[in-house]
Amino acid sequence: GEPAAFLMGVPDYNQVLKRINGRLGPVGLLKFLWYSRRITDIRVMTMGVKEAYRKRGIEGLLYLESFKAAMKRGYVHAEMSWVLEDNVLMRRGCELMGGTAYKKYRIFEKPRFLLRGRWGAGTEMGLPTLVWNLKRAMAVVGSVALTERLARA
């Protein structure tokens, strides 16, 4: 068959780096090796389920089997890294397992100046983007020239 999902978890080396204060000299290297054996947390760096297999319980099975394997190796905590605030399926899965969100990740984007014809982006553009584009156009073209072009459109 073909793979339907994947999950990649790695030991949380931040626990080790915290103990050596980020210094990796000869003593720091020995401490790194020593404390690496005492890591108790894992970080789930990435996870994915093909769209055709979503909402069928595969996510829960993937979590369960991965965390069982981690517990066999002595890990007691897991952190789901970089789950976006609007990723409802991932957040719900974490909450159903008893997890709590302690950070929120958002992606902010500066709106771009759209140079499309009047039929291009008229209805799909949000009001803040439209206002920003209008201000930018006034700064580039000039308010008089812009008014004349809009009147001709």
Side-chain angles (χ1 to χ4, degrees), residues 91 95 99-104:
R91 290 176 50 94
E95 289 166 1
T100 56
Y102 68 97
K103 290 182 183 176
K104 289 189 179 185

Side-chain angles (χ1 to χ4, degrees), residues 16-121:
V16 178
L17 296 174
K18 188 176 176 181
R19 293 199 181 237
I20 63 173
N21 293 328
R23 296 188 180 105
L24 202 57
V27 175
L29 183 60
L30 290 173
K31 284 183 177 181
F32 181 85
L33 295 172
W34 175 258
Y35 288 118
S36 292
R37 299 183 312 177
R38 290 171 169 67
I39 295 175
T40 59
D41 298 357
I42 60 168
R43 292 179 57 106
V44 177
M45 300 299 286
T46 184
M47 179 199 160
V49 179
K50 287 186 176 178
E51 198 163 342
Y53 298 99
R54 290 183 190 159
K55 298 181 184 177
R56 295 185 178 189
I58 291 177
E59 300 92 348
L61 187 61
L62 192 60
Y63 294 141
L64 180 67
E65 292 302 319
S66 300
F67 295 148
K68 272 200 234 174
M71 287 177 8
K72 274 186 188 176
R73 293 179 167 251
Y75 296 108
V76 293
H77 297 105
E79 177 182 343
M80 306 286 277
S81 304
W82 305 320
V83 178
L84 288 177
E85 184 179 34
D86 63 350
N87 191 341
V88 178
L89 291 176
M90 284 288 292
R91 290 176 50 94
R92 190 179 315 136
C94 294
E95 289 166 1
L96 288 173
M97 290 186 298
T100 56
Y102 68 97
K103 290 182 183 176
K104 289 189 179 185
Y105 291 98
R106 296 180 180 140
I107 296 177
F108 295 96
E109 182 177 332
K110 184 177 180 180
R112 295 183 296 273
F113 188 149
L114 298 175
L115 293 173
R116 295 185 186 173
R118 66 178 183 208
W119 305 110

